[in-house]
Amino acid sequence: MEETAKSGEVKQTTPEQKAKAAEYLRKLGIFKPYIDGFVKNDNVCFFERFGGFWVYQEPEIEKKMREIEEKYGCKVYAITHEKIEGDDMWSFLVVTDHQAEWDDLLVKEDNGFYAFAYTWNRSYDWGSEFGDVFVQSFGGGIRRVW
């Protein structure tokens, strides 16, 4: 089902976003059971130093993920967690609702990928924003480098 935005632009539906997200997970080399969990059950993983965990294991983070999806009309497909200069940072990798942007949301470069994400600064919420993060893939998981 398609929904027309006020500007007349056609927004992509959740199934289309989810299919693109699954493609991104494969491109990142994510561990196949994590991809299957996403495709079959809509389970998203968060990663700490390449190690993957189901986001439903962390109810606060899952709640934040759902808030981001609802507020911005995007689909979260993976999350990274880091401590950066003492701040508790969660980067929610997303597929936006604008198909024209999709080729630029995950771009391979050198030894990693630029991924479009909403980064939530859990320590200082006012420092949260959308932007590109650079992630590396290894052993079926990912980590944010910068």
Side-chain angles (χ1 to χ4, degrees), residues 88-113:
D88 191 17
M89 307 293 271
W90 294 83
S91 296
F92 297 81
L93 282 58
V94 301
V95 175
T96 66
D97 61 354
H98 301 286
Q99 188 175 9
E101 300 173 339
W102 287 2
D103 289 339
D104 299 324
L105 297 180
L106 185 67
V107 177
K108 173 89 170 118
E109 184 159 318
D110 297 328
N111 64 343
F113 297 84

Side-chain angles (χ1 to χ4, degrees), residues 105-140:
L105 297 180
L106 185 67
V107 177
K108 173 89 170 118
E109 184 159 318
D110 297 328
N111 64 343
F113 297 84
Y114 284 100
F116 188 68
Y118 181 86
T119 299
W120 177 41
N121 184 329
R122 188 174 176 191
S123 302
Y124 302 98
D125 192 54
W126 54 265
S128 304
E129 64 185 349
F130 279 101
D132 288 333
V133 295
F134 191 76
V135 297
Q136 290 178 323
S137 178
F138 176 77

Side-chain angles (χ1 to χ4, degrees), residues 42-46 52-66 76 79 90 92:
D42 208 27
N43 291 331
V44 173
C45 278
F46 72 90
F53 307 89
W54 296 115
V55 75
Y56 63 71
Q57 295 173 292
E58 294 288 338
E60 179 187 9
I61 306 310
E62 183 178 32
K63 180 180 180 215
K64 185 66 175 180
M65 178 184 78
R66 300 294 177 212
V76 174
I79 305 165
W90 294 83
F92 297 81

Side-chain angles (χ1 to χ4, degrees), residues 22 25-26 29-40 54:
L25 290 169
R26 286 188 289 277
I30 300 299
F31 188 49
K32 188 174 178 340
Y34 294 156
I35 297 172
D36 291 344
F38 178 79
V39 171
K40 295 174 185 172
W54 296 115

